[in-house]
Amino acid sequence: QVQLVESGGGLVQPGGSLKLSCGFSGMTFSIYDMGWYRQAPGKQRELVAAMSSGSNTNYADSVKGRFTISRDNAKNTIFLQMTGLKPEDTAVYYCNAKLGWAGYNYWGQGTQVTVSS
């Protein structure tokens, strides 16, 4: 009964900031690789930011310097701090937990982020 529950999406002005959260349950949180993906209308889902269980991170070129992924193992939660938001960041954002060696790959329900004036 693995569950991923997201929160923090909404409507923001260009240049604004937003922090997404995703709480995990039903899993040994600390051993999973985690990430945030997004999907805009008419576009394929793309990786935005990822953090391995060893805390290595990588970001899409389009968000480097603006977005920061973090994790709190004690709270079974991952975060995506987004700053300097642009209209092209508008998408549904999904959190993900992956345990590749075991073939486990779990997704949240998605949360809408809209950047518009």
Side-chain angles (χ1 to χ4, degrees), residues 6 24 50 53 88-89 110 117:
E6 302 174 357
F24 295 75
S53 61
E88 52 262 43
D89 295 318
S117 60

Side-chain angles (χ1 to χ4, degrees), residues 2-78:
V2 172
Q3 295 188 81
L4 287 66
V5 180
E6 302 174 357
S7 62
L11 174 65
V12 297
Q13 297 278 335
S17 63
L18 201 63
K19 189 172 185 177
L20 306 182
S21 301
C22 184
F24 295 75
S25 63
M27 57 191 280
T28 305
F29 179 80
S30 62
I31 69 173
Y32 279 74
D33 300 324
M34 293 109 47
W36 290 93
Y37 292 72
R38 67 186 181 189
Q39 187 166 22
K43 302 286 185 66
Q44 296 184 11
R45 188 174 298 187
E46 64 174 348
L47 177 67
V48 176
M51 175 175 280
S52 72
S53 61
S55 297
N56 293 318
T57 60
N58 67 280
Y59 297 89
D61 288 342
S62 60
V63 307
K64 285 181 179 178
R66 299 188 297 120
F67 291 10
T68 302
I69 186 172
S70 61
R71 65 192 296 168
D72 187 334
N73 288 340
K75 297 180 180 179
N76 282 12
T77 303
I78 64 169

Side-chain angles (χ1 to χ4, degrees), residues 63-106:
V63 307
K64 285 181 179 178
R66 299 188 297 120
F67 291 10
T68 302
I69 186 172
S70 61
R71 65 192 296 168
D72 187 334
N73 288 340
K75 297 180 180 179
N76 282 12
T77 303
I78 64 169
F79 305 93
L80 184 68
Q81 177 65 60
M82 304 183 291
T83 61
L85 284 162
K86 305 174 180 179
E88 52 262 43
D89 295 318
T90 296
V92 177
Y93 284 70
Y94 300 87
C95 60
N96 170 263
K98 183 178 181 179
L99 197 61
W101 64 266
Y104 297 154
N105 193 21
Y106 303 111

